[in-house]
Amino acid sequence: MMHIDRHEKIFIIVSILLLVVFATTLGVMAFAHGYQVPEPEMVVDPRTVATPGFSPFAEPGLREVGPNEYEAYILAQTWAFLPREIRVPAGSTVTFYVTSKDVQHGFRLENTNVNMMVLPGHVAKLKATFDKPGTYNFVCHEYCGIGHQTMYGTLVVEP
Ligand code: CUA
């Protein structure tokens, strides 16, 4: 049998244990806590994404797709989100579709797992359920120019 130094053996075992810990953490986050990776939902042309008839982002906003089920189409541009405010009743599940018509932006919705990079040409998608009434701000968290810090919007969950 091949001889392995005692210290080397310890390092091999520790490395394998770390991988097991990381894989377990990932599994618990994904399946027990519902963490998701933003899906690249579809590709759009940023030059026509805001043109009526070319994409759902030409009329950004909320669509009711079922009982307590909504889709939110949000268009990011320098330096605002369209629409600026969304209102849903408590207990709603909202699927967010976000894209940019100009430069790279971000979309982070406070107190939720929704955190996405928003790239022109790509539609980012994440889903969240809102049981607690309240105000949730969403902010752009990718530097996008001189007005970056003014780029935000609000999701209001009504009782
Ligand atoms: Cu948009 Cu920073």
Side-chain angles (χ1 to χ4, degrees):
M1 211 186 114
M2 184 177 65
H3 171 75
I4 302 176
D5 181 77
R6 198 171 70 88
H7 289 97
E8 204 165 335
K9 215 180 265 178
I10 291 169
F11 273 106
I12 291 171
I13 291 168
V14 168
S15 310
I16 291 170
L17 279 179
L18 269 179
L19 286 178
V20 171
V21 168
F22 292 153
T24 308
T25 308
L26 205 63
V28 170
M29 295 303 257
F31 298 109
H33 294 283
Y35 275 60
Q36 314 157 69
V37 174
E39 291 171 51
E41 174 66 11
M42 56 175 167
V43 174
V44 289
D45 186 338
R47 289 166 300 184
T48 55
V49 77
T51 310
F54 281 88
S55 91
F57 295 94
E59 285 169 47
L62 204 63
R63 324 264 201 269
E64 190 168 2
V65 291
N68 280 336
E69 286 259 356
Y70 296 89
E71 288 180 350
Y73 287 86
I74 297 172
L75 184 65
Q77 59 181 35
T78 47
W79 292 282
F81 289 107
L82 299 175
R84 201 145 242 193
E85 189 182 274
I86 298 169
R87 290 178 170 268
V88 294
S92 300
T93 298
V94 182
T95 308
F96 296 90
Y97 296 88
V98 192
T99 192
S100 166
K101 73 168 193 182
D102 40 47
V103 299
Q104 174 181 318
H105 297 280
F107 185 85
R108 165 94 181 90
L109 185 60
E110 66 175 358
N111 299 326
T112 68
N113 293 336
V114 177
N115 183 345
M116 306 188 270
M117 191 182 254
V118 179
L119 300 169
H122 293 263
V123 177
K125 175 189 173 190
L126 270 181
K127 197 185 260 201
T129 301
F130 300 90
D131 292 322
K132 274 194 215 144
T135 300
Y136 300 71
N137 291 316
F138 47 86
V139 297
C140 177
H141 63 351
E142 297 272 347
Y143 184 70
C144 57
I146 192 108
H148 161 69
Q149 76 282 356
T150 66
M151 189 168 168
Y152 74 99
T154 310
L155 173 91
V156 180
V157 179
E158 297 170 325

